[in-house]
Amino acid sequence: MENLLPYQYLLIGLIFIWSGFVRSGLGFGGAVLSLPFLLLVHNDALVFLPLISVHLLVFASITIIQNNRKPDSGRGTVNWPYLRYLLLVMLIPKLIGVLGLVTLPSNVMSGVIFTIVAVYSLSYIFNRPFKSNSKVVDTAFLLLGGYISGTSLIGAPLIIAVAAQHVAREQLRDTLFALWLVLVAIKMAAFIYFEVDLQLIHHLWLLPCAFIGHLIGLRFHRHMLQTDAAVFMRFLGSALLLISLVGLTRAALG
């Protein structure tokens, strides 16, 4: 990062504002919708993945703590029983992905994932959400999502496509945040173990950039929760479709 040109720093700052907005607005997509653009600026994923991971740990923790400190007569913003289920299903494939014990061509894996996610997204856009009615199918998608989240940060859309069927929309974002906290903590431990440069000095200016996007995303999320459920799911489907198109394009070019 030290040898980049001024315009590259400017572009990276803007992309991290976008990343913060998407993350707090939807609860996902901060990595998968920003990493492709970051790689166009500087083609080295290991430079950006630690930065993205730290940002997620910081802002997801803040959001969950703030939302659950508020006096509330109803349920909290995290669906803890379903979170425990997700972790039980995904923990082992996540560790396998982190350790790299199983390897598949990245472009093939990406193509499969984003094709599946695209199908889910269309079902949400047309208000006909896919329901497998099978724990076996849901579990298979979660296992695959856990493995992919271990090898990279593109497994989130597949996990969300399943979780959105079982978690109320007002709990979906924070439940996902809690899940990402555990999964990303494992990823960060791997970065530290393999002595990956965490780019700590660059957090001094990139954290404020992400914070700007985070504040905008919080307002956007409150607005989305006040809309009709069908509108919310249609927007969720549109975001998933955008992610799928970006991912499929990268897989084809890669």
Side-chain angles (χ1 to χ4, degrees):
M1 287 273 287
E2 287 75 12
N3 298 321
L4 298 181
L5 298 173
Y7 82 90
Q8 291 177 300
Y9 288 119
L10 175 61
L11 290 175
I12 290 171
L14 292 173
I15 294 169
F16 271 95
I17 293 175
W18 162 250
S19 174
F21 164 74
V22 173
R23 183 185 302 111
S24 63
L26 295 177
F28 70 97
V32 76
L33 278 180
S34 62
L35 190 57
F37 301 113
L38 290 169
L39 293 178
L40 292 176
V41 178
H42 181 59
N43 191 24
D44 188 352
L46 280 181
V47 170
F48 300 113
L49 288 177
L51 291 165
I52 294 172
S53 298
V54 170
H55 289 185
L56 190 148
L57 291 174
V58 171
F59 294 114
S61 299
I62 291 173
T63 303
I64 291 175
I65 291 171
Q66 285 183 332
N67 287 343
N68 286 275
R69 285 179 59 188
K70 298 174 182 177
D72 190 287
S73 57
R75 57 187 172 181
T77 61
V78 176
N79 187 325
W80 297 108
Y82 196 73
L83 174 63
R84 286 192 291 271
Y85 167 74
L86 291 174
L87 289 173
L88 285 174
V89 173
M90 296 172 56
L91 186 57
I92 292 178
K94 169 72 177 185
L95 293 174
I96 293 175
V98 169
L99 295 174
L101 298 179
V102 178
T103 57
L104 288 174
S106 59
N107 59 332
V108 173
M109 182 63 73
S110 297
V112 171
I113 291 173
F114 288 119
T115 298
I116 294 172
V117 173
V119 174
Y120 271 104
S121 68
L122 291 174
S123 71
Y124 290 139
I125 291 172
F126 293 106
N127 199 25
R128 292 183 176 273
F130 171 78
K131 294 183 179 179
S132 66
N133 295 319
S134 169
K135 286 189 175 181
V136 174
V137 175
D138 284 352
T139 301
F141 286 153
L142 292 176
L143 289 172
L144 180 59
Y147 169 71
I148 296 303
S149 72
T151 58
S152 64
L153 291 175
I154 65 170
L158 189 56
I159 299 166
I160 294 155
V162 177
Q165 301 180 56
H166 303 283
V167 179
R169 61 173 180 153
E170 62 270 16
Q171 291 184 304
L172 181 60
R173 185 193 62 174
D174 285 9
T175 301
L176 293 172
F177 273 170
L179 176 64
W180 306 149
L181 284 174
V182 177
L183 299 183
V184 172
I186 295 173
K187 192 78 171 180
M188 285 297 295
F191 287 150
I192 295 172
Y193 178 79
F194 290 107
E195 298 182 346
V196 174
D197 186 354
L198 301 183
Q199 307 292 340
L200 295 178
I201 190 65
H202 294 287
H203 288 294
L204 295 177
W205 66 280
L206 286 175
L207 272 171
C209 290
F211 183 66
I212 294 171
H214 176 78
L215 293 178
I216 300 171
L218 289 177
R219 296 188 63 179
F220 173 80
H221 183 73
R222 287 193 293 268
H223 172 72
M224 287 303 300
L225 290 180
Q226 294 171 1
T227 64
D228 179 75
V231 174
F232 177 84
M233 296 307 294
R234 192 173 295 116
F235 189 90
L236 177 63
S238 300
L240 288 172
L241 182 60
L242 175 60
I243 291 172
S244 301
L245 294 176
V246 172
L248 287 170
T249 301
R250 284 196 64 210
L253 295 177

